[in-house]
Amino acid sequence: MLPAAATTDDRIPVHVLTGFLGSGKTTFLRHLLGEPELADTAVIINEFGEVGLDHLLVREVSEDAVLLSSGCLCCAVRDDLVSTLADLLAMVRRGEVVPFRRVVVETTGLADPAPIMQAVMSDIKLRRGYRTGSIVATVDGVSGANSIASFAEAVQQVALADCVVITKSDLVEPWRLDALGQEVGKLNPQVRQLGSSRSSMPGAGDIFRYDEDWEPRHFEMAETPMAGHSDGIETFAVEIDREVDWPAFVDWLELLLAGRGQSILRVKGLLAVKGDPRPVVIHGVQHVVYPPEYLPRWPQDAARGWLVFIARNLSRSAIVRSLPSTFAVAN
């Protein structure tokens, strides 16, 4: 069971789930939402990109706010976080949505979690109904050390975390995990570190703990946030208008990531594949292509297929030129 909040403060805690691109935030969120302890949770999902995909991997969302099969309320940021949080409370008061006991904000992979907590602490109206919760950061066990060495965003996420979840721990040698854990500990000596794999993930009770000294520590750290997004990083979408031959697509994507993986921080996509009526979800991080996932049906008003890239010093036109001629690309 989740630890109970202090009896003297019945405000709703706002937890932040952050982590660098491709570190497994959405997979981990899906796992947490499957636990009965989180059935009365409001989930706010933000996405850095032209096409939002993360919320589709939790469950297809076609409205501003929907009730998930787990009982959780899920919505996407349409304006800004402060407005979204205020709107959720207003909907509860009007009886439009079921009451919730906590909020989990899933950030973008390039997000600094400090402004999120600052918004909750500094907005007078929000502070009447919300309080700061925990910051949980996922760190990729495969590529996390490189991300921390290369990107200010990855460093900031770890430095501000109450809990770091090292994902994909089953794909890495133990000595590499130890080295990554030591690096995390250098950035944040007080952080709790947990391992996670596809067969064994930490539970909600391990993640969302309430520490009495949490708020003062993070308020102090939030006063000196690091710089914004790293130079040269941009996001763009490439629409693919027809069904693709799966082996040909995999060959192209693997070659692309092998040659330009250092420039491609993340690629996600939704594709129509010949011989399969289900949309196929694509994931790639730097040099690695992960096994595909499938949605049960196409989202409402979705294009036939698309790929979303978050890249550094790599243009959309360069990606389009590399595509095989058998793929029809929308301008």
Side-chain angles (χ1 to χ4, degrees), residues 261-272:
Q262 289 300 110
S263 297
I264 299 173
L265 306 182
R266 188 189 73 184
V267 56
K268 284 189 176 184
L270 205 59
L271 292 179

Side-chain angles (χ1 to χ4, degrees), residues 234-280:
E234 62 176 323
T235 179
F236 52 84
V238 176
E239 295 184 13
I240 299 178
D241 288 346
R242 67 179 62 166
E243 293 182 336
V244 301
D245 179 76
W246 181 247
F249 174 82
V250 171
D251 288 345
W252 168 78
L253 183 58
E254 288 181 343
L255 285 172
L256 177 67
L257 295 183
R260 302 300 300 271
Q262 289 300 110
S263 297
I264 299 173
L265 306 182
R266 188 189 73 184
V267 56
K268 284 189 176 184
L270 205 59
L271 292 179
V273 173
K274 292 179 181 178
D276 196 326
R278 300 171 298 175
V280 179

Side-chain angles (χ1 to χ4, degrees), residues 214-234:
W214 182 90
E215 188 168 351
R217 179 169 72 89
H218 279 280
F219 183 81
E220 179 181 355
M221 297 179 71
E223 291 297 316
T224 56
M226 297 175 63
H229 300 325
S230 300
D231 292 340
I233 293 178
E234 62 176 323

Side-chain angles (χ1 to χ4, degrees), residues 26-42:
T26 298
T27 298
F28 189 55
L29 177 61
R30 292 166 67 188
H31 160 71
L32 291 176
L33 294 184
E35 296 195 350
E37 292 93 333
L38 292 189
D40 48 3
T41 299

Side-chain angles (χ1 to χ4, degrees), residues 74-312:
C74 185
C75 64
V77 174
R78 301 297 184 189
D79 182 10
D80 60 63
L81 180 63
V82 170
S83 297
T84 301
L85 287 169
D87 289 346
L88 283 174
L89 281 182
M91 285 190 288
V92 170
R93 288 195 297 267
R94 295 193 298 264
E96 297 175 3
V97 298
V98 295
F100 49 90
R101 292 182 56 193
R102 69 191 62 79
V103 176
V104 176
V105 180
E106 184 195 7
T107 75
T108 74
L110 294 172
D112 177 355
I116 295 174
M117 288 306 182
Q118 285 178 318
V120 177
M121 289 186 289
S122 62
D123 189 280
I124 296 177
K125 292 182 179 179
L126 285 188
R127 289 177 63 180
R128 294 172 183 167
Y130 295 106
R131 63 181 177 87
T132 54
S134 301
I135 296 178
V136 180
T138 54
V139 174
D140 193 322
V142 177
S143 60
N146 180 66
S147 298
I148 290 171
S150 304
F151 300 98
E153 296 87 355
V155 172
Q156 182 76 340
Q157 291 162 359
V158 170
L160 290 177
D162 297 284
C163 178
V164 164
V165 179
I166 298 180
T167 62
K168 309 171 191 176
S169 59
D170 53 333
L171 304 179
V172 187
E173 299 94 330
W175 68 269
R176 290 187 183 275
L177 286 176
D178 290 342
L180 178 58
Q182 291 176 14
E183 186 66 26
V184 168
K186 290 178 183 177
L187 294 173
N188 189 342
Q190 282 80 39
V191 75
R192 291 184 294 117
Q193 296 189 39
L194 301 173
S196 178
S197 66
R198 281 196 173 272
S199 61
S200 179
M201 294 185 183
D206 298 319
I207 298 299
F208 300 122
R209 292 182 178 177
Y210 298 93
D211 300 320
E212 292 181 356
D213 62 346
W214 182 90
E215 188 168 351
R217 179 169 72 89
H218 279 280
F219 183 81
E220 179 181 355
M221 297 179 71
E223 291 297 316
T224 56
M226 297 175 63
H229 300 325
S230 300
D231 292 340
I233 293 178
E234 62 176 323
T235 179
F236 52 84
V238 176
E239 295 184 13
I240 299 178
D241 288 346
R242 67 179 62 166
E243 293 182 336
V244 301
D245 179 76
W246 181 247
F249 174 82
V250 171
D251 288 345
W252 168 78
L253 183 58
E254 288 181 343
L255 285 172
L256 177 67
L257 295 183
R260 302 300 300 271
Q262 289 300 110
S263 297
I264 299 173
L265 306 182
R266 188 189 73 184
V267 56
K268 284 189 176 184
L270 205 59
L271 292 179
V273 173
K274 292 179 181 178
D276 196 326
R278 300 171 298 175
V280 179
V281 181
I282 307 300
H283 292 273
V285 178
Q286 297 184 353
H287 297 290
V288 181
V289 181
Y290 292 100
E293 298 185 53
Y294 300 87
L295 294 179
R297 58 190 175 277
W298 282 90
Q300 187 177 6
D301 300 326
R304 189 57 176 164
W306 67 81
L307 299 172
V308 178
F309 290 86
I310 298 180
R312 180 174 56 182

